[in-house]
Amino acid sequence: MEADVFVAWFEAAARMVHDERDRLTRLDAAIGDADHGTNLDRGLTEVRAALDGSPPETPGQVLATAGATLIRRVGGASGPLYGSVFRQMAKSLESPVTLAGFAAAFEDGVVALERLGKAVPGDKTMVDALTPASRALALAVRDGVGVREAFRQAARAAEEGAKATIPMQARKGRASYLGERSVGHEDPGAASAALFMAALASVVA
Amino acid sequence: MEADVFVAWFEAAARMVHDERDRLTRLDAAIGDADHGTNLDRGLTEVRAALDGSPPETPGQVLATAGATLIRRVGGASGPLYGSVFRQMAKSLESPVTLAGFAAAFEDGVVALERLGKAVPGDKTMVDALTPASRALALAVRDGVGVREAFRQAARAAEEGAKATIPMQARKGRASYLGERSVGHEDPGAASAALFMAALASVVA
Amino acid sequence: MKKLINTADSVVEDALNGMAAAHPSLLVRDRVVYRAEGPRAGKVGLVSGGGSGHEPLHVGFVGYGMLDAACPGEIFTSPVPDQIIDATRAVDGGAGVLHIVKNYTGDVLNFEMAAELVEDVRVASVLIDDDVAVQDSLYTAGRRGTGATLFVEKMAGALAEAGAPLDQVALVAGEVDERSRSFGIALTSCTTPHAGKPTFDLPDSDVELGIGIHGEPGRARGPMVSARELAGAAMEAIHGDLPLRGDLLVMVNGMGSTPLMELYIVFAEVAAFVKGKGARVARSLVGNYVTSLDMQGFSVSVCLLDDTLTRLWDAPVETPGLRWGR
Amino acid sequence: MKKLINTADSVVEDALNGMAAAHPSLLVRDRVVYRAEGPRAGKVGLVSGGGSGHEPLHVGFVGYGMLDAACPGEIFTSPVPDQIIDATRAVDGGAGVLHIVKNYTGDVLNFEMAAELVEDVRVASVLIDDDVAVQDSLYTAGRRGTGATLFVEKMAGALAEAGAPLDQVALVAGEVDERSRSFGIALTSCTTPHAGKPTFDLPDSDVELGIGIHGEPGRARGPMVSARELAGAAMEAIHGDLPLRGDLLVMVNGMGSTPLMELYIVFAEVAAFVKGKGARVARSLVGNYVTSLDMQGFSVSVCLLDDTLTRLWDAPVETPGLRWGR
Ligand SMILES: Nc1ncnc2c1ncn2[C@@H]1O[C@H](COP(=O)(O)OP(=O)(O)O)[C@@H](O)[C@H]1O
Ligand SMILES: Nc1ncnc2c1ncn2[C@@H]1O[C@H](COP(=O)(O)OP(=O)(O)O)[C@@H](O)[C@H]1O
Ligand SMILES: [Mg+2]
Ligand SMILES: [Mg+2]
Ligand SMILES: [Mg+2]
Ligand SMILES: [Mg+2]
């Protein structure tokens, strides 16, 4: 995987988040403060502009630019959290990028996120979409599955993980204030995380 | 006519205004500030209490008490205006009270109102109900009509006068701010003036 | 209707109790709000009043450098003469009392009756009529008093505090009114506690232009447009009546339910308009000061300053609603 | 949605322009609001910030005796580290900088990131978590920071102004937070400019109990009852968590669209409650201070005063949103 795949990833993610902006904001309205779609859309638009402006040469540079831009432009909880995923990936990723290398870096990114947000699976956060995705990638590597299929499985796992947040009671982030009333709604961050993984799958489709 | 007729007049007026409070307020909402029903209801409730508390002995005392109480309790434009009608009537009324004497005192009351509010017929105010009522009383006296019929005619004239305010453009009071938009609505003060006259008619019915 | 009230009948009473509890500097007695420390000998007393529902006007402007007493009526209903008489007598420090009266039939009649009845106190009165939405002609009750009331209460209050005699305080109060203009726009109606539903219906696509402060509809209905265009409409109306020039005092006032953020957005546009006309915003006020219950919308008030008025505006004031310099 | 805005994307920018135009005492640069006169050598700098939509918090509390800088994020979105870094560097007068952070994941993370990155400035930080509606447990993100933020900004600001060193300012800031509790109730949802419709639906018969300041629904829904009962519910929640005693600072705060008159009605009930518990309202504040866009409703915040805190509260302050003593 070259830098262009990573650029394409963020471009697809930007497109998908833009298209799904209102859905994400609606999810956030139900158990949060109705800004998640706007936040991520703003951030990814900036990521796109940054990548267009000075196209990075390595996958690591793409990830570093994306991570830094999200931190610099999103704000809220999701800005630093997503930012830290990609910044950590940028640090961990070795070139040339193989599927195994990608999966390992992705795992590092998720760990960095968990460390920063102190959330664990089941807390009803983006972690609940990203850890299954990471596990799916690891399994794909173990099973010798191709990149395309691996990313597809990761996307599916993320999507299932996002849906699995519906019955959960939130223990982290803004939704936790709602206590039991957070049950019955999909977590907006988990939903956007599923979009990130769907974007990844779309790039190598 | 003895004091008890005048007491009965204000009791009937209080009852009728109370029953029609919301209609008066709605009329005032359309071209004013939605308080006319509440204002008059509050004032007439106080008038009733004042008359109950220390029943006056003469018609003049009833009118004076009613006028002063309206001024002391209503506020707004209608408080001083109605108050001045009854205070002037109290001053003008000679005893024993005949229909002719009542009609003359009523005319004086309306003149006092016109002087205070500087409104003339056609300005879309309570004057447009009270001047026809006053004229009806004067005609009844001239024609030798009985009290009962005279009051009925005054009530009818007031009611017609009130309805006649609908097509008028207001030139006095709050409705005048609306300019042409005041056209098409019955003036709340004219409507309440018609109630006062209907109350009078009901007392000798 | 959804309001933080106990009963529709007790709103004014309950709110005054809250004011008394919150502000030891105020004394509330028989429906009049006074400075707790009472009248100062030799100082002209300032009394204003009007219907309730415009808070902080007038009750929130009682205190050092502004009013000596305010007479709150029922919701949107002018006070009764008794209140004004009580207030006038109580605040007279021997130098007479100025009545600050907004030009509404009810306010005018009740203040006039009161003034006639307090023969023992020298009373002057100033009529506030700053609202350019109303044509001042034989065919109206004359221009309404709105936002400029705050300017008059502040500046006349400062002058009275400085020891000026009654005729001079009245003169300057009149001058402030003459140099001031206002225009208001509503995005929604308000709901009076007794009526229980909005005074008028306004679709999301429309605004009311040229409203007063009693929830009345305006002079005309117009389309809901951007803050820039709405501010422009208000400023054109003002500028068309009194060309903007020199140093201005500018207030962007919320009608009661408009968040501060939106008022600042309007203020930015107003300031740009003023600049475009070659005038200067020398002093400003942004907030909910002369309100109309829970109405959404804003008004702009402008006063052409001179050195004296600027000094009077800058003078210390210490009231619940306006405070600086102490 | 009916708002006085130009575009949903430009609300924060446009409002900041309005603030800059209205307040010569402020300087707005790169999405940070500063005191125009800049840092004072030797004075601890105070920086706060958070999502926009809570005005006057925080931007309206920049000035003498309170904040040195405020970092406004997008609507209900915490600021980004760059803003906080800029602000922290700019206000350092050599004595270090205190970050006043409301306990929301986003605010905490962004302030933490910023603090790590400004190695050149000594930074302390205080976390505000006064909202008793949230159980402080492993199962939540901890209590939210709401009304007490104003108390902390005011009192820590006074202490910093008096020349206290960073550790002491931070200590007292933490103490104010510990001695403060809040509880909020919504009558309506708010509408964010981007969403364009209310965040939640609330029938006329119901209220949301235990809301935060971001238009989130509360902990529970309850029936719409009288001001007395709603005030009682808020006060019971506070008193149950921190028994009221001695001298209190009490704020009855509007959520943005609640008229002042209604807040005074609530205050009267709150004051009666306090009295009933044998405590005393020693200082108070009634108004829209820590808002949630155009939400209707209120919150009550209480701080147990001692002599030091009372002195810090009374100390002069000169900001657009809070001013006395100068
Ligand atoms: N501590 C946390 N750890 C992991 N993810 C979190 C945490 N807190 C919040 N999130 C995620 O962030 C999302 C909310 O993002 P966003 O709405 O942009 O920020 P905010 O909550 O500050 O408004 C949540 O749906 C959740 O997935
Ligand atoms: N100048 C006036 N002369 C006569 N009647 C008037 C005048 N101004 C107002 N009114 C009457 O008063 C009525 C309004 O009374 P009310 O609603 O109680 O007072 P306000 O207008 O102060 O709210 C109007 O409908 C009109 O009939
Ligand atoms: Mg959110
Ligand atoms: Mg009326
Ligand atoms: Mg009225
Ligand atoms: Mg947010």
Side-chain angles (χ1 to χ4, degrees), chain C:
Chain C
M1 175 185 64
K2 233 169 172 181
K3 285 185 189 295
L4 294 168
I5 64 175
N6 292 315
T7 66
D9 281 335
S10 67
V11 284
V12 176
E13 193 70 26
D14 292 349
L16 289 177
N17 285 339
M19 286 204 79
H23 305 292
S25 64
L26 299 181
L27 170 75
V28 179
R29 192 177 59 210
D30 294 341
R31 287 285 171 107
V32 179
V33 177
Y34 299 97
R35 301 190 195 181
E37 80 266 20
R40 212 176 74 213
K43 183 183 109 50
V44 167
L46 260 63
V47 172
S48 191
S52 292
H54 309 302
E55 293 68 31
L57 188 84
H58 304 268
V59 287
F61 298 144
V62 173
Y64 182 89
M66 277 183 99
L67 301 177
D68 292 276
C71 306
E74 291 297 318
I75 299 287
F76 291 167
T77 302
S78 72
V80 295
D82 286 4
Q83 290 169 280
I84 304 165
I85 292 168
D86 284 357
T88 305
R89 292 219 169 97
V91 308
D92 184 30
V97 172
L98 178 68
H99 285 179
I100 300 175
V101 185
K102 302 192 299 308
N103 187 33
Y104 297 99
T105 309
D107 291 51
V108 171
L109 293 180
N110 284 283
F111 269 94
E112 271 176 8
M113 283 197 169
E116 272 168 33
L117 292 170
V118 276
E119 289 158 356
D120 42 329
V121 179
R122 207 148 52 90
V123 173
S125 107
V126 58
L127 205 64
I128 316 297
D129 59 346
D130 54 314
D131 184 358
V132 301
V134 177
Q135 249 106 58
D136 193 7
S137 76
L138 280 177
Y139 304 107
T140 64
R143 286 188 163 168
R144 293 177 287 222
T146 61
T149 315
L150 184 157
F151 298 168
V152 173
E153 292 179 359
K154 170 69 186 79
M155 294 181 192
L159 194 57
E161 216 66 65
L166 181 59
D167 53 355
Q168 204 191 326
V169 176
L171 197 82
V172 170
E175 206 189 316
V176 174
D177 176 61
E178 270 165 38
R179 298 170 75 105
S180 299
R181 296 292 188 280
S182 300
F183 191 89
I185 297 178
L187 306 196
T188 65
S189 172
C190 63
T191 299
T192 65
H194 272 111
K197 49 178 190 257
T199 300
F200 56 84
D201 286 322
L202 194 53
D204 262 10
S205 54
D206 289 351
V207 298
E208 284 282 339
L209 298 158
I211 51 153
I213 56 173
H214 299 86
E216 317 95 320
R219 290 289 293 189
R221 199 162 271 203
M224 173 68 196
V225 288
S226 68
R228 181 163 309 137
E229 290 163 286
L230 293 176
M235 293 308 289
E236 287 293 357
I238 291 171
H239 181 66
D241 198 80
L242 182 73
L244 304 179
R245 60 187 156 74
D247 278 5
L248 306 181
L249 163 61
V250 176
M251 172 168 72
V252 168
N253 170 61
M255 300 312 296
S257 278
T258 292
L260 193 53
M261 165 180 263
E262 296 180 35
L263 299 178
Y264 276 119
I265 291 175
V266 170
F267 187 83
E269 303 301 337
V270 167
F273 185 101
V274 166
K275 205 169 171 187
K277 298 297 174 197
R280 191 176 85 93
V281 176
R283 297 290 183 277
S284 67
L285 209 54
V286 182
N288 285 282
Y289 291 106
V290 181
T291 62
S292 194
L293 290 173
D294 57 349
M295 178 179 270
Q296 280 180 29
F298 72 99
S299 63
V300 187
S301 296
V302 172
C303 176
L304 305 187
L305 292 171
D306 60 19
D307 286 352
T308 308
L309 298 189
T310 305
R311 232 177 3 251
L312 292 172
W313 180 255
D314 288 344
V317 58
E318 182 175 350
T319 71
L322 216 58
R323 184 166 176 181
W324 57 73
R326 1 193 308 159

Side-chain angles (χ1 to χ4, degrees), chain D residues 15-249:
Chain D
L16 290 177
N17 284 339
M19 285 204 81
H23 305 292
S25 63
L26 300 181
L27 170 75
V28 180
R29 191 177 59 211
D30 295 341
R31 285 285 171 108
V32 180
V33 177
Y34 299 97
R35 301 190 195 181
E37 79 266 21
R40 211 176 76 214
K43 183 183 111 47
V44 166
L46 259 62
V47 172
S48 191
S52 291
H54 310 300
E55 293 67 30
L57 186 87
H58 304 269
V59 286
F61 298 143
V62 174
Y64 181 88
M66 275 182 101
L67 300 177
D68 292 276
C71 308
E74 291 296 318
I75 298 288
F76 292 166
T77 303
S78 71
V80 295
D82 285 3
Q83 290 170 278
I84 304 165
I85 292 168
D86 284 357
T88 305
R89 292 220 169 95
V91 308
D92 184 29
V97 172
L98 178 68
H99 285 178
I100 300 175
V101 186
K102 301 193 298 310
N103 188 32
Y104 297 99
T105 309
D107 291 51
V108 171
L109 292 179
N110 285 282
F111 268 94
E112 272 177 7
M113 283 196 169
E116 271 168 35
L117 292 169
V118 275
E119 289 156 357
D120 42 331
V121 179
R122 209 148 50 90
V123 173
S125 106
V126 58
L127 205 63
I128 316 299
D129 58 348
D130 54 314
D131 185 357
V132 300
V134 177
Q135 249 105 59
D136 192 7
S137 75
L138 280 176
Y139 304 107
T140 64
R143 287 189 162 167
R144 293 176 286 219
T146 60
T149 315
L150 184 156
F151 298 168
V152 173
E153 293 179 357
K154 169 69 186 77
M155 295 182 193
L159 194 58
E161 216 67 65
L166 180 59
D167 52 357
Q168 203 192 325
V169 176
L171 196 80
V172 170
E175 206 189 316
V176 174
D177 176 60
E178 271 165 38
R179 299 170 74 104
S180 299
R181 297 291 187 280
S182 300
F183 190 90
I185 296 179
L187 305 196
T188 66
S189 173
C190 64
T191 300
T192 64
H194 272 112
K197 52 176 186 260
T199 300
F200 56 85
D201 286 323
L202 194 54
D204 261 11
S205 55
D206 288 351
V207 298
E208 284 282 339
L209 297 158
I211 52 152
I213 56 173
H214 298 85
E216 317 95 321
R219 290 288 293 189
R221 198 162 273 202
M224 173 68 194
V225 287
S226 68
R228 181 162 310 137
E229 290 163 286
L230 293 176
M235 292 308 289
E236 287 294 356
I238 290 171
H239 181 65
D241 197 79
L242 183 72
L244 303 179
R245 60 186 155 74
D247 278 6
L248 307 180
L249 163 61

Side-chain angles (χ1 to χ4, degrees), chain A residues 21-69:
Chain A
R21 185 177 76 166
D22 292 349
R23 181 174 69 92
L24 293 175
T25 290
R26 263 200 312 277
L27 291 176
D28 199 26
I31 55 171
D33 59 351
D35 63 352
H36 188 58
T38 321
N39 285 349
L40 263 197
D41 184 35
R42 179 179 61 246
L44 285 167
T45 304
E46 295 283 349
V47 168
R48 237 171 134 163
L51 294 175
D52 278 5
S54 52
E57 293 180 3
T58 69
Q61 284 171 8
V62 176
L63 290 164
T65 299
T69 306

